[in-house]
């Protein structure tokens, strides 16, 4: 599916007020469908090697220019705080990054409620160790261009003193499904000034500053930005969370609580808020509608106004928690300041609906959840504390997100319906966190500045 098709055909253009030539493509380009790609995580032994790497990569990093009609493969470059230090950024620049970014995702485990099986002590190495400095990702809509672009990326990474510390291929599974068997990456925010009108149901465009540094956010103010201006402007933050899907546990849960395949699929839909085809329960409440799920101009075109009690989409379903839209919440929150751009990638063995054993939980299969926001760290902490691992904002007591919540013994999930609601007991943690990092996604000019730092006054050697 060409990118324009992901936007429902020829998109309606609108005025451009952000600097698309400067912003990295990943911020605005939708993930292709099907998609192929690789995340390379690099460690740099010293600043000179790191800057040479950045200088070599810059000409190959795609910008967001014409993002709505770009169909070629692209490369993105993201840098962790440890990476910025290793690259020798001036001290005043380093100090200008938010505290939660500087200490890293693992050190914020308490604020992120990453406890128990999700605790950093259980993560796959080298996540959380400070060894990951630079993330180079290739995204492509075809296997052939993925391989060609990977060759290009790898050639640039052949610098003495640059080591690949982990790498992960990813890609679409049959029907573009993720590791739990659902189509994903549907609901995305519309962003003001990026050149394309919002899709039906996407809601009003959100101020660019919520997603890209250097522009006013929803409050009308600029968000705090790393200095100098050249480093911060048109950059943003990217969070990565590596999840392992316990497919055996998930399938057993569905079987234990549903009598037939039809009921099982309805339960799977209730957990997320969409059928696995992507069709939203709001528009297809009783049976799947794959044509609706596949249509970008219809599959997100709804509100929750006609479903205040959650009879169609449970209040506690993953999608309704993560973007409550117009749901009346018991704890008031402005939904538009907690939106994120999602660019998640599915890795490993395809979802298998018949896998029901414990050993199926251990098969490498899951999601690198990638999300982008100008305040990614604060947003993730808010989501994890308030909307994922807490039910108070929707009067759901201690129920947690059924997809990504860390479930405790005897945890429940409520499906509201008439005449009596159904409360399902013993919901498990279906996705275990296996790693995570925060990255800065610099603009193209900022990457050049970083690559040439040894010539800049004040740089550390
Ligand atoms: C293994 C991990 C995850 C799985 C399997 C998963 C699955 C899904 C699915 C199937 C959808 C509905 C289709 C779509 O709109 O894309 C969805 C939507 C969404 N998810 Fe996740 N997700 C995961 C992790 C996360 C995390 C960690 C967050 C945030 C902290 C998140 C936030 C969202 C948001 C914001 C939406 C869109 C809601 C909307 O706009 O209506 N997801 N997810």
């Amino acid at each position: 599916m060409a990118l324009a098709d992901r936007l429902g055909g020829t998109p309606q253009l609108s005025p451009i007020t952000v600097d698309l030539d400067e912003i990295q493509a990943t911020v605005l380009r939708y993930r292709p469908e099907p998609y192929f790609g690789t995340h390379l995580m690099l460690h740099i032994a010293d600043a000179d090697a790191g800057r040479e790497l950045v200088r070599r990569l810059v000409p190959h990093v795609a910008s967001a220019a014409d993002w709505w009609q770009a169909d070629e493969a692209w490369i993105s470059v993201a840098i962790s705080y440890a990476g910025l230090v290793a690259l020798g950024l001036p001290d005043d620049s380093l100090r200008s990054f938010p505290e939660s970014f500087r200490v890293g995702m693992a050190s914020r485990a308490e604020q992120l409620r990453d406890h128990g099986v999700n605790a950093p002590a259980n993560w796959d190495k080298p996540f959380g160790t400070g060894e990951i400095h630079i993330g180079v990702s290739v995204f492509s809509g075809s296997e052939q261009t993925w391989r060609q672009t990977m060759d290009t990326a790898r050639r640039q990474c052949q610098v003495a003193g640059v080591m690949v510390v982990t790498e992960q291929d990813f890609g679409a599974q049959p029907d573009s499904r993720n590791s739990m068997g659902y189509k994903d990456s549907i609901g995305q925010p519309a962003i003001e000034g990026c050149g394309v009108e919002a899709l039906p149901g996407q809601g009003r465009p959100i101020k660019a500053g919520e997603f890209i540094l250097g522009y006013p956010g929803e409050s009308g103010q600029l968000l705090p930005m790393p200095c100098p201006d050249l480093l911060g402007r048109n950059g943003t933050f990217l969070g990565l969370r590596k999840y392992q899907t316990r497919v055996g546990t998930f399938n057993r849960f569905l079987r234990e609580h549903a009598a037939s395949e039809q009921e099982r699929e309805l339960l799977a839909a209730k957990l997320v808020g969409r059928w696995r085809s992507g069709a939203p329960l709001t528009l297809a409440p009783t049976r799947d509608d794959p044509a609706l799920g596949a249509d970008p101009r219809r599959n997100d075109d709804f509100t929750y106004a006609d479903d205040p009690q959650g009879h169609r989409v449970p209040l506690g379903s993953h999608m309704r928690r993560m973007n409550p839209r117009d749901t009346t919440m018991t704890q008031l929150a402005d939904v538009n300041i907690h939106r994120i751009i999602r660019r998640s990638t599915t890795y490993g063995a395809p979802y298998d609906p018949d896998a029901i054993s414990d050993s199926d939980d251990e098969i490498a299969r899951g999601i690198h959840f990638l999300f982008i926001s100008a305040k990614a760290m604060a947003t993730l902490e808010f989501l994890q504390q308030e909307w994922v691992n807490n039910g108070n904002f929707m009067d759901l007591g201690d129920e947690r997100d059924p997809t990504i919540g860390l479930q405790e013994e005897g945890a429940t999930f409520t499906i509201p319906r008439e005449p009596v609601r159904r409360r399902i007991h013993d919901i498990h943690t279906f996705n275990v966190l296996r790693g995570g990092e925060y990255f800065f996604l610099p603009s193209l000019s900022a990457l050049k500045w970083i690559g040439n730092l040894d010539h800049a006054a004040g740089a550390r050697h």
Side-chain angles (χ1 to χ4, degrees):
M1 189 187 257
L3 187 64
D5 297 329
R6 293 243 21 217
L7 298 167
T10 310
Q12 193 95 41
L13 300 185
S14 64
I16 298 172
T17 53
V18 299
D19 206 346
L20 295 179
D21 293 327
E22 279 292 337
I23 298 162
Q24 286 204 42
T26 305
V27 179
L28 295 177
R29 273 194 210 173
Y30 283 43
R31 204 186 59 192
E33 211 171 90
Y35 63 96
F36 302 82
T38 303
H39 300 299
L40 285 178
M41 300 290 159
L42 308 170
H43 180 84
I44 53 181
D46 60 65
D48 286 337
R51 291 180 202 145
E52 186 185 341
L53 169 71
V54 173
R55 284 197 298 275
R56 290 174 63 139
L57 284 167
V58 172
H60 303 281
V61 176
S63 82
D66 294 337
W67 62 272
W68 55 90
Q69 55 187 16
D71 272 333
E72 68 278 15
W74 76 92
I75 296 176
S76 72
V77 173
I79 310 177
S80 68
Y81 182 73
L84 294 173
V85 173
L87 283 160
L89 247 71
D91 283 339
D92 54 345
S93 285
L94 291 173
R95 274 197 304 271
S96 65
F97 282 86
E99 164 81 9
S100 47
F101 175 72
R102 287 159 54 191
V103 300
M105 197 182 280
S107 296
R108 300 290 288 183
E110 181 54 44
Q111 291 83 353
L112 291 165
R113 307 292 186 257
D114 290 339
H115 302 142
V117 286
N118 285 355
N122 300 320
W123 288 2
D124 296 341
K125 299 286 171 289
F127 287 107
T129 62
E131 279 174 49
I132 295 177
H133 289 162
I134 299 186
V136 175
S137 298
V138 169
F139 290 83
S140 174
S142 86
E143 190 167 350
Q144 195 195 0
T145 53
W146 162 47
R147 294 198 187 285
Q148 286 163 352
T149 312
M150 266 314 287
D151 285 347
T152 306
R154 277 195 205 282
R155 268 200 307 278
Q156 312 319 313
C157 296
Q158 279 163 9
V159 174
V162 172
M163 280 84 69
V164 176
V165 283
T166 182
E167 72 177 88
Q168 179 73 64
D169 291 344
F170 55 80
Q173 308 197 336
D175 278 342
S176 296
R177 302 300 170 91
N178 68 17
S179 53
M180 294 178 90
Y182 297 81
K183 180 177 162 72
D184 69 6
S185 205
I186 301 172
Q188 304 284 1
I191 304 168
E192 199 175 277
C194 289
V196 169
E197 293 288 343
L199 285 167
Q202 223 178 357
R204 75 161 169 83
I206 294 174
K207 297 282 179 208
E210 295 293 319
F211 303 102
I212 306 161
L213 294 164
Y215 302 92
E218 286 287 299
S219 68
Q221 307 294 314
L222 291 183
L223 274 76
M225 196 166 77
C227 71
D229 198 74
L230 179 61
L231 174 65
R233 186 172 295 282
N234 292 309
T236 185
F237 291 97
L238 180 148
L240 180 158
R241 312 259 289 166
K242 179 185 177 185
Y243 286 96
Q244 159 96 17
T245 303
R246 289 171 157 172
V247 170
T249 301
F250 178 54
N251 285 338
R252 278 203 306 276
F253 171 83
L254 293 180
R255 279 161 205 245
E256 276 159 23
H257 297 282
S260 62
E261 192 181 336
Q262 205 184 347
E263 248 187 60
R264 215 182 294 157
E265 287 308 295
L266 180 60
L267 175 57
K270 292 282 185 186
L271 295 174
V272 164
R274 290 185 188 271
W275 298 89
R276 301 210 219 210
S277 69
L281 275 173
T282 32
L283 304 179
T286 52
R287 79 176 57 84
D288 192 6
D289 181 349
L292 169 64
D295 184 346
R297 298 200 72 81
R298 292 194 294 139
N299 66 12
D300 208 30
D301 190 9
F302 61 87
T303 70
Y304 295 118
D306 295 335
D307 186 25
Q309 313 294 332
H311 288 155
R312 290 182 174 201
V313 182
L315 299 171
S317 64
H318 175 61
M319 192 174 84
R320 197 157 179 175
R321 280 174 178 265
M322 294 296 92
N323 180 9
R325 302 185 190 215
D326 54 347
T327 306
T328 306
M329 290 181 275
T330 28
Q331 283 173 3
L332 288 184
D334 179 352
V335 172
N336 288 330
I337 61 169
H338 303 301
R339 300 294 305 279
I340 49 177
I341 297 169
R342 291 176 302 135
R343 298 284 180 257
S344 295
T345 55
T346 293
Y347 68 87
Y351 171 73
D352 174 0
D354 298 319
I356 50 166
S357 72
D358 283 342
S359 60
D360 291 311
D361 287 354
E362 301 310 320
I363 295 176
R365 164 168 49 198
I367 289 179
H368 280 97
F369 177 77
L370 302 184
F371 69 102
I372 294 169
S373 154
K375 49 186 200 318
M377 293 70 62
T379 300
L380 184 67
E381 289 184 7
F382 171 85
L383 293 176
Q384 285 286 115
Q385 288 173 23
E386 305 296 335
W387 291 358
V388 173
N389 290 306
N390 197 327
N392 289 335
F393 75 114
M394 294 262 201
D395 248 344
L396 293 164
D398 52 13
E399 281 192 9
R400 298 178 175 184
D401 185 302
T403 304
I404 49 170
L406 179 66
Q407 309 296 349
E408 292 181 341
E409 194 71 27
T412 58
F413 175 68
T414 302
I415 302 180
R417 59 181 187 183
E418 298 290 358
V420 276
R421 70 180 178 205
R422 180 173 179 206
R423 178 161 288 161
I424 297 187
H425 290 266
D426 279 332
I427 184 158
H428 303 283
T429 303
F430 297 135
N431 287 288
V432 177
L433 188 68
R434 299 302 280 267
E437 297 287 343
Y438 289 130
F439 294 94
F440 182 53
L441 204 57
S443 70
L444 297 189
S445 288
L447 281 174
K448 287 182 198 139
W449 181 82
I450 293 169
N452 290 312
L453 259 183
D454 42 348
H455 307 300
R460 297 185 320 177
H461 289 272

